[in-house]
């Protein structure tokens, strides 16, 4: 299979390239979730396989076309092994829902389907939003605007849950929380130059949140804001995120502010 047309689209119009992959992801997700609901099937059982297939397809494309390394996929994080404490706030954010306990209705089928679903969706969302979109925005926009727009776009992308038979109130919480977490993940990518940590964190965040007895939406959002308030400035000023941005903007020509 030739990936030349998509590679040319990435070089010519990276935003449209991102939108093509985003449309594929959202289309599969919405159709599968609605089918799951219409057939009254257990959660995650329909959507898991098609999203996993899409994840395989986009990975083959990114590797063979060379786009993957350009967006930080498979790139070694700029954090050495002795500094693994660097990710401690991410671990706290991801694992905290377990403090409320684990759901009693989990079955083997549900756990397997949930893991496949969230591995695929977490990977795809990071490649799309923190990979393809953020890379383009940082090259064309001021860094602050690019970071904020990337996080906001990620949050608004979760509004499609309304098309999958979710209530408006739940969707509002589901837009705000991903925006906060998305901003934090974006700063991690800026500081490390790699998607590796955020892919792992995103996958475990979703799996643990779904498996645990998560409190109300406001509590989750406040937790995310607290971690962001402490970890975010450190990622920019203490971990070298701002320095990396300045180095990248010298080649792209986009202003930092």
């Amino acid at each position: 299979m030739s990936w030349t047309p998509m590679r040319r689209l990435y070089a010519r119009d990276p935003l449209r390239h991102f939108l093509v992959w985003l449309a594929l992801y959202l289309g599969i997700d919405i159709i599968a979730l609605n089918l799951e609901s219409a057939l009254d099937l257990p959660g995650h059982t329909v959507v898991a396989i098609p999203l996993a297939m899409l994840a395989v397809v986009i990975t083959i494309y990114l590797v063979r076309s060379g786009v993957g390394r350009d967006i930080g996929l498979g790139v070694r994080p700029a954090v050495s092994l002795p500094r693994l404490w660097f990710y401690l706030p991410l671990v706290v954010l991801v694992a905290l829902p377990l403090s409320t306990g684990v759901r009693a209705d989990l079955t083997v089928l549900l756990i397997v389907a949930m893991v496949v679903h969230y591995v695929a969706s977490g990977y795809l969302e990071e490649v799309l939003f923190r990979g393809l979109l953020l890379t383009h925005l940082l090259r064309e926009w001021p860094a602050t605007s690019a970071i904020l727009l990337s996080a906001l776009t990620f949050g608004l992308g979760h509004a499609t849950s309304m098309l999958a038979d979710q209530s408006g109130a739940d969707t509002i919480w589901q837009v705000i929380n991903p925006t906060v977490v998305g901003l934090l993940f974006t700063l991690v990518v800026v500081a490390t130059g790699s998607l590796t940590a955020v892919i792992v964190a995103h996958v475990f965040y979703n799996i643990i949140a779904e498996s645990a007895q998560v409190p109300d939406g406001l509590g989750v959002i406040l937790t995310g804001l607290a971690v962001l308030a402490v970890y975010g400035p450190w990622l920019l000023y203490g971990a070298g995120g701002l320095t990396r941005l300045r180095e990248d903007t010298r080649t792209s020509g986009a202003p930092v502010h």
Side-chain angles (χ1 to χ4, degrees):
M1 182 177 182
S2 174
W3 298 105
T4 302
M6 286 299 291
R7 184 64 179 86
R8 287 176 178 168
L9 179 61
Y10 176 72
R12 184 178 68 252
D13 192 342
L15 182 57
R16 183 177 296 180
H17 174 270
F18 158 75
L19 291 173
V20 168
W21 286 109
L22 179 64
L24 283 172
Y25 169 62
L26 292 179
I28 292 172
D29 190 58
I30 292 168
I31 292 171
L33 289 175
N34 276 288
L35 183 62
E36 194 172 89
S37 177
L39 297 177
D40 197 25
L41 294 171
H44 311 285
T45 52
V46 174
V47 71
I49 299 302
L51 285 187
M53 293 173 64
L54 179 61
V56 171
V57 169
I58 196 172
T59 300
I60 294 173
Y61 159 68
L62 291 172
V63 171
R64 292 187 176 178
S65 66
V67 174
R69 294 196 65 81
D70 192 44
I71 64 173
L73 184 66
V75 175
R76 180 176 295 180
V79 179
S80 60
L81 283 177
R83 294 179 61 205
L84 286 180
W85 54 267
F86 174 95
Y87 300 112
L88 182 59
L90 273 185
V91 174
V92 171
L93 179 68
V94 169
L96 196 59
L98 288 176
S99 63
T100 63
V102 178
R103 288 167 46 188
D105 62 337
L106 294 175
T107 63
V108 174
L109 174 61
L110 177 59
I111 292 172
V112 171
M114 179 174 61
V115 168
V116 174
H117 177 194
Y118 284 143
V119 167
S121 63
Y123 170 78
L124 286 166
E125 289 178 3
E126 292 307 318
V127 165
L128 290 171
F129 290 98
R130 250 73 65 187
L132 295 174
L133 180 60
L134 180 63
T135 299
H136 166 65
L137 292 176
L138 285 173
R139 288 172 178 170
E140 300 294 331
W141 289 48
T144 301
S145 300
I147 289 169
L148 293 176
L149 183 59
S150 173
L152 181 60
T153 305
F154 176 64
L156 290 174
H158 288 73
T160 56
S161 297
M162 292 188 70
L163 301 177
D165 202 26
Q166 179 172 279
S167 71
D170 286 342
T171 300
I172 290 173
W173 291 120
Q174 200 169 347
V175 167
I176 296 174
N177 188 55
T179 301
V180 173
V181 175
L183 180 55
L184 181 63
F185 284 1
T186 300
L187 294 177
V188 172
V189 172
V190 166
T192 64
S194 171
L195 293 175
T196 302
V198 291
I199 289 173
V200 174
H202 194 149
V203 169
F204 278 99
Y205 184 86
N206 285 351
I207 292 173
I208 291 174
E210 181 77 2
S211 304
Q213 298 172 359
V214 179
D216 61 271
L218 181 60
V220 174
I221 291 169
L222 290 176
T223 300
L225 285 171
V227 174
L228 177 62
V230 175
Y231 196 33
W234 187 80
L235 286 168
L236 282 175
Y237 298 99
L242 198 57
T243 301
R244 284 184 55 84
L245 281 176
R246 286 172 176 159
E247 291 173 352
D248 291 343
T249 52
R250 288 195 189 103
T251 58
S252 68
V256 174
H257 300 294

PDB file of all heavy atoms in Angstrom, residues 4-23:
ATOM      1  N   THR A   4       2.108   7.532  -0.207  1.00  0.00           N
ATOM      2  CA  THR A   4       2.617   8.772  -0.791  1.00  0.00           C
ATOM      3  C   THR A   4       1.587   9.911  -0.779  1.00  0.00           C
ATOM      4  O   THR A   4       1.934  11.047  -0.424  1.00  0.00           O
ATOM      5  CB  THR A   4       3.107   8.522  -2.227  1.00  0.00           C
ATOM      6  OG1 THR A   4       4.118   7.509  -2.204  1.00  0.00           O
ATOM      7  CG2 THR A   4       3.680   9.795  -2.820  1.00  0.00           C
ATOM      8  N   PRO A   5       0.317   9.681  -1.154  1.00  0.00           N
ATOM      9  CA  PRO A   5      -0.650  10.791  -1.137  1.00  0.00           C
ATOM     10  C   PRO A   5      -0.821  11.419   0.247  1.00  0.00           C
ATOM     11  O   PRO A   5      -0.877  12.653   0.370  1.00  0.00           O
ATOM     12  CB  PRO A   5      -1.949  10.140  -1.623  1.00  0.00           C
ATOM     13  CG  PRO A   5      -1.503   8.967  -2.438  1.00  0.00           C
ATOM     14  CD  PRO A   5      -0.279   8.471  -1.742  1.00  0.00           C
ATOM     15  N   MET A   6      -0.878  10.592   1.286  1.00  0.00           N
ATOM     16  CA  MET A   6      -1.031  11.127   2.636  1.00  0.00           C
ATOM     17  C   MET A   6       0.234  11.849   3.081  1.00  0.00           C
ATOM     18  O   MET A   6       0.169  12.882   3.758  1.00  0.00           O
ATOM     19  CB  MET A   6      -1.364  10.000   3.625  1.00  0.00           C
ATOM     20  CG  MET A   6      -2.786   9.477   3.517  1.00  0.00           C
ATOM     21  SD  MET A   6      -4.041  10.752   3.851  1.00  0.00           S
ATOM     22  CE  MET A   6      -3.796  11.005   5.605  1.00  0.00           C
ATOM     23  N   ARG A   7       1.396  11.307   2.700  1.00  0.00           N
ATOM     24  CA  ARG A   7       2.651  11.982   3.054  1.00  0.00           C
ATOM     25  C   ARG A   7       2.746  13.339   2.364  1.00  0.00           C
ATOM     26  O   ARG A   7       3.208  14.316   2.961  1.00  0.00           O
ATOM     27  CB  ARG A   7       3.844  11.099   2.649  1.00  0.00           C
ATOM     28  CG  ARG A   7       5.209  11.663   3.061  1.00  0.00           C
ATOM     29  CD  ARG A   7       5.292  11.722   4.578  1.00  0.00           C
ATOM     30  NE  ARG A   7       6.575  12.228   5.054  1.00  0.00           N
ATOM     31  CZ  ARG A   7       6.866  13.529   5.202  1.00  0.00           C
ATOM     32  NH1 ARG A   7       5.975  14.447   4.871  1.00  0.00           N
ATOM     33  NH2 ARG A   7       8.037  13.893   5.673  1.00  0.00           N
ATOM     34  N   ARG A   8       2.281  13.413   1.121  1.00  0.00           N
ATOM     35  CA  ARG A   8       2.280  14.684   0.406  1.00  0.00           C
ATOM     36  C   ARG A   8       1.297  15.660   1.046  1.00  0.00           C
ATOM     37  O   ARG A   8       1.574  16.870   1.129  1.00  0.00           O
ATOM     38  CB  ARG A   8       1.916  14.457  -1.056  1.00  0.00           C
ATOM     39  CG  ARG A   8       3.033  13.801  -1.873  1.00  0.00           C
ATOM     40  CD  ARG A   8       2.568  13.517  -3.284  1.00  0.00           C
ATOM     41  NE  ARG A   8       3.654  12.934  -4.089  1.00  0.00           N
ATOM     42  CZ  ARG A   8       3.458  12.381  -5.270  1.00  0.00           C
ATOM     43  NH1 ARG A   8       2.240  12.331  -5.809  1.00  0.00           N
ATOM     44  NH2 ARG A   8       4.491  11.865  -5.940  1.00  0.00           N
ATOM     45  N   LEU A   9       0.153  15.148   1.491  1.00  0.00           N
ATOM     46  CA  LEU A   9      -0.822  16.009   2.160  1.00  0.00           C
ATOM     47  C   LEU A   9      -0.242  16.564   3.453  1.00  0.00           C
ATOM     48  O   LEU A   9      -0.451  17.744   3.774  1.00  0.00           O
ATOM     49  CB  LEU A   9      -2.105  15.217   2.456  1.00  0.00           C
ATOM     50  CG  LEU A   9      -3.216  15.988   3.179  1.00  0.00           C
ATOM     51  CD1 LEU A   9      -3.668  17.182   2.339  1.00  0.00           C
ATOM     52  CD2 LEU A   9      -4.396  15.071   3.497  1.00  0.00           C
ATOM     53  N   TYR A  10       0.498  15.745   4.187  1.00  0.00           N
ATOM     54  CA  TYR A  10       1.131  16.207   5.416  1.00  0.00           C
ATOM     55  C   TYR A  10       2.126  17.325   5.135  1.00  0.00           C
ATOM     56  O   TYR A  10       2.189  18.315   5.875  1.00  0.00           O
ATOM     57  CB  TYR A  10       1.848  15.044   6.100  1.00  0.00           C
ATOM     58  CG  TYR A  10       2.623  15.441   7.336  1.00  0.00           C
ATOM     59  CD1 TYR A  10       1.962  15.778   8.514  1.00  0.00           C
ATOM     60  CD2 TYR A  10       4.021  15.509   7.310  1.00  0.00           C
ATOM     61  CE1 TYR A  10       2.670  16.152   9.646  1.00  0.00           C
ATOM     62  CE2 TYR A  10       4.730  15.887   8.440  1.00  0.00           C
ATOM     63  CZ  TYR A  10       4.061  16.206   9.602  1.00  0.00           C
ATOM     64  OH  TYR A  10       4.755  16.594  10.718  1.00  0.00           O
ATOM     65  N   ALA A  11       2.890  17.193   4.055  1.00  0.00           N
ATOM     66  CA  ALA A  11       3.879  18.219   3.715  1.00  0.00           C
ATOM     67  C   ALA A  11       3.217  19.498   3.202  1.00  0.00           C
ATOM     68  O   ALA A  11       3.676  20.605   3.497  1.00  0.00           O
ATOM     69  CB  ALA A  11       4.843  17.676   2.659  1.00  0.00           C
ATOM     70  N   ARG A  12       2.113  19.344   2.475  1.00  0.00           N
ATOM     71  CA  ARG A  12       1.457  20.498   1.853  1.00  0.00           C
ATOM     72  C   ARG A  12       0.478  21.200   2.786  1.00  0.00           C
ATOM     73  O   ARG A  12       0.424  22.429   2.843  1.00  0.00           O
ATOM     74  CB  ARG A  12       0.737  20.037   0.584  1.00  0.00           C
ATOM     75  CG  ARG A  12       0.079  21.150  -0.224  1.00  0.00           C
ATOM     76  CD  ARG A  12      -0.566  20.623  -1.491  1.00  0.00           C
ATOM     77  NE  ARG A  12      -1.717  19.778  -1.228  1.00  0.00           N
ATOM     78  CZ  ARG A  12      -1.745  18.467  -1.382  1.00  0.00           C
ATOM     79  NH1 ARG A  12      -0.657  17.832  -1.797  1.00  0.00           N
ATOM     80  NH2 ARG A  12      -2.831  17.759  -1.126  1.00  0.00           N
ATOM     81  N   ASP A  13      -0.305  20.406   3.512  1.00  0.00           N
ATOM     82  CA  ASP A  13      -1.364  20.973   4.357  1.00  0.00           C
ATOM     83  C   ASP A  13      -1.523  20.108   5.606  1.00  0.00           C
ATOM     84  O   ASP A  13      -2.425  19.278   5.690  1.00  0.00           O
ATOM     85  CB  ASP A  13      -2.681  21.023   3.572  1.00  0.00           C
ATOM     86  CG  ASP A  13      -3.754  21.857   4.267  1.00  0.00           C
ATOM     87  OD1 ASP A  13      -3.612  22.113   5.480  1.00  0.00           O
ATOM     88  OD2 ASP A  13      -4.734  22.245   3.597  1.00  0.00           O
ATOM     89  N   PRO A  14      -0.645  20.288   6.610  1.00  0.00           N
ATOM     90  CA  PRO A  14      -0.680  19.429   7.801  1.00  0.00           C
ATOM     91  C   PRO A  14      -1.982  19.523   8.586  1.00  0.00           C
ATOM     92  O   PRO A  14      -2.373  18.551   9.232  1.00  0.00           O
ATOM     93  CB  PRO A  14       0.504  19.924   8.635  1.00  0.00           C
ATOM     94  CG  PRO A  14       0.859  21.258   8.072  1.00  0.00           C
ATOM     95  CD  PRO A  14       0.465  21.242   6.647  1.00  0.00           C
ATOM     96  N   LEU A  15      -2.672  20.655   8.534  1.00  0.00           N
ATOM     97  CA  LEU A  15      -3.946  20.775   9.248  1.00  0.00           C
ATOM     98  C   LEU A  15      -5.008  19.897   8.620  1.00  0.00           C
ATOM     99  O   LEU A  15      -5.747  19.195   9.319  1.00  0.00           O
ATOM    100  CB  LEU A  15      -4.409  22.230   9.276  1.00  0.00           C
ATOM    101  CG  LEU A  15      -5.716  22.492  10.047  1.00  0.00           C
ATOM    102  CD1 LEU A  15      -5.591  22.014  11.495  1.00  0.00           C
ATOM    103  CD2 LEU A  15      -6.094  23.966   9.984  1.00  0.00           C
ATOM    104  N   ARG A  16      -5.098  19.909   7.297  1.00  0.00           N
ATOM    105  CA  ARG A  16      -6.065  19.041   6.614  1.00  0.00           C
ATOM    106  C   ARG A  16      -5.694  17.577   6.824  1.00  0.00           C
ATOM    107  O   ARG A  16      -6.583  16.724   6.987  1.00  0.00           O
ATOM    108  CB  ARG A  16      -6.113  19.376   5.116  1.00  0.00           C
ATOM    109  CG  ARG A  16      -7.156  18.564   4.353  1.00  0.00           C
ATOM    110  CD  ARG A  16      -7.217  18.995   2.904  1.00  0.00           C
ATOM    111  NE  ARG A  16      -7.658  20.378   2.773  1.00  0.00           N
ATOM    112  CZ  ARG A  16      -7.790  21.011   1.609  1.00  0.00           C
ATOM    113  NH1 ARG A  16      -7.485  20.369   0.475  1.00  0.00           N
ATOM    114  NH2 ARG A  16      -8.191  22.271   1.570  1.00  0.00           N
ATOM    115  N   HIS A  17      -4.420  17.283   6.827  1.00  0.00           N
ATOM    116  CA  HIS A  17      -3.939  15.925   7.094  1.00  0.00           C
ATOM    117  C   HIS A  17      -4.424  15.452   8.454  1.00  0.00           C
ATOM    118  O   HIS A  17      -4.924  14.333   8.610  1.00  0.00           O
ATOM    119  CB  HIS A  17      -2.407  15.941   7.017  1.00  0.00           C
ATOM    120  CG  HIS A  17      -1.744  14.661   7.397  1.00  0.00           C
ATOM    121  ND1 HIS A  17      -1.357  14.381   8.693  1.00  0.00           N
ATOM    122  CD2 HIS A  17      -1.366  13.592   6.654  1.00  0.00           C
ATOM    123  CE1 HIS A  17      -0.788  13.194   8.729  1.00  0.00           C
ATOM    124  NE2 HIS A  17      -0.776  12.687   7.515  1.00  0.00           N
ATOM    125  N   PHE A  18      -4.304  16.319   9.470  1.00  0.00           N
ATOM    126  CA  PHE A  18      -4.810  16.008  10.807  1.00  0.00           C
ATOM    127  C   PHE A  18      -6.314  15.780  10.786  1.00  0.00           C
ATOM    128  O   PHE A  18      -6.831  14.831  11.400  1.00  0.00           O
ATOM    129  CB  PHE A  18      -4.465  17.156  11.768  1.00  0.00           C
ATOM    130  CG  PHE A  18      -5.335  17.230  12.999  1.00  0.00           C
ATOM    131  CD1 PHE A  18      -5.178  16.332  14.039  1.00  0.00           C
ATOM    132  CD2 PHE A  18      -6.326  18.202  13.101  1.00  0.00           C
ATOM    133  CE1 PHE A  18      -5.983  16.392  15.169  1.00  0.00           C
ATOM    134  CE2 PHE A  18      -7.134  18.280  14.225  1.00  0.00           C
ATOM    135  CZ  PHE A  18      -6.960  17.371  15.262  1.00  0.00           C
ATOM    136  N   LEU A  19      -7.050  16.636  10.077  1.00  0.00           N
ATOM    137  CA  LEU A  19      -8.515  16.540  10.048  1.00  0.00           C
ATOM    138  C   LEU A  19      -8.991  15.253   9.372  1.00  0.00           C
ATOM    139  O   LEU A  19     -10.026  14.698   9.761  1.00  0.00           O
ATOM    140  CB  LEU A  19      -9.101  17.759   9.333  1.00  0.00           C
ATOM    141  CG  LEU A  19      -8.956  19.092  10.085  1.00  0.00           C
ATOM    142  CD1 LEU A  19      -9.422  20.253   9.219  1.00  0.00           C
ATOM    143  CD2 LEU A  19      -9.727  19.054  11.405  1.00  0.00           C
ATOM    144  N   VAL A  20      -8.252  14.776   8.382  1.00  0.00           N
ATOM    145  CA  VAL A  20      -8.623  13.513   7.736  1.00  0.00           C
ATOM    146  C   VAL A  20      -8.563  12.362   8.735  1.00  0.00           C
ATOM    147  O   VAL A  20      -9.510  11.572   8.868  1.00  0.00           O
ATOM    148  CB  VAL A  20      -7.693  13.223   6.529  1.00  0.00           C
ATOM    149  CG1 VAL A  20      -7.888  11.784   6.034  1.00  0.00           C
ATOM    150  CG2 VAL A  20      -7.959  14.208   5.400  1.00  0.00           C
ATOM    151  N   TRP A  21      -7.447  12.286   9.478  1.00  0.00           N
ATOM    152  CA  TRP A  21      -7.316  11.213  10.467  1.00  0.00           C
ATOM    153  C   TRP A  21      -8.302  11.397  11.618  1.00  0.00           C
ATOM    154  O   TRP A  21      -8.847  10.416  12.132  1.00  0.00           O
ATOM    155  CB  TRP A  21      -5.885  11.168  10.995  1.00  0.00           C
ATOM    156  CG  TRP A  21      -4.896  10.594  10.036  1.00  0.00           C
ATOM    157  CD1 TRP A  21      -3.918  11.256   9.367  1.00  0.00           C
ATOM    158  CD2 TRP A  21      -4.810   9.223   9.621  1.00  0.00           C
ATOM    159  NE1 TRP A  21      -3.208  10.392   8.557  1.00  0.00           N
ATOM    160  CE2 TRP A  21      -3.732   9.140   8.693  1.00  0.00           C
ATOM    161  CE3 TRP A  21      -5.523   8.067   9.933  1.00  0.00           C
ATOM    162  CZ2 TRP A  21      -3.371   7.928   8.099  1.00  0.00           C
ATOM    163  CZ3 TRP A  21      -5.150   6.861   9.334  1.00  0.00           C
ATOM    164  CH2 TRP A  21      -4.088   6.806   8.438  1.00  0.00           C
ATOM    165  N   LEU A  22      -8.544  12.635  12.017  1.00  0.00           N
ATOM    166  CA  LEU A  22      -9.507  12.897  13.086  1.00  0.00           C
ATOM    167  C   LEU A  22     -10.911  12.465  12.672  1.00  0.00           C
ATOM    168  O   LEU A  22     -11.648  11.867  13.465  1.00  0.00           O
ATOM    169  CB  LEU A  22      -9.509  14.389  13.445  1.00  0.00           C
ATOM    170  CG  LEU A  22     -10.490  14.806  14.545  1.00  0.00           C
ATOM    171  CD1 LEU A  22     -10.124  14.148  15.874  1.00  0.00           C
ATOM    172  CD2 LEU A  22     -10.522  16.328  14.691  1.00  0.00           C
ATOM    173  N   ALA A  23     -11.289  12.759  11.427  1.00  0.00           N
ATOM    174  CA  ALA A  23     -12.612  12.361  10.938  1.00  0.00           C
ATOM    175  C   ALA A  23     -12.768  10.843  10.940  1.00  0.00           C
ATOM    176  O   ALA A  23     -13.833  10.307  11.301  1.00  0.00           O
ATOM    177  CB  ALA A  23     -12.831  12.918   9.532  1.00  0.00           C
TER     178      ALA A  23
END
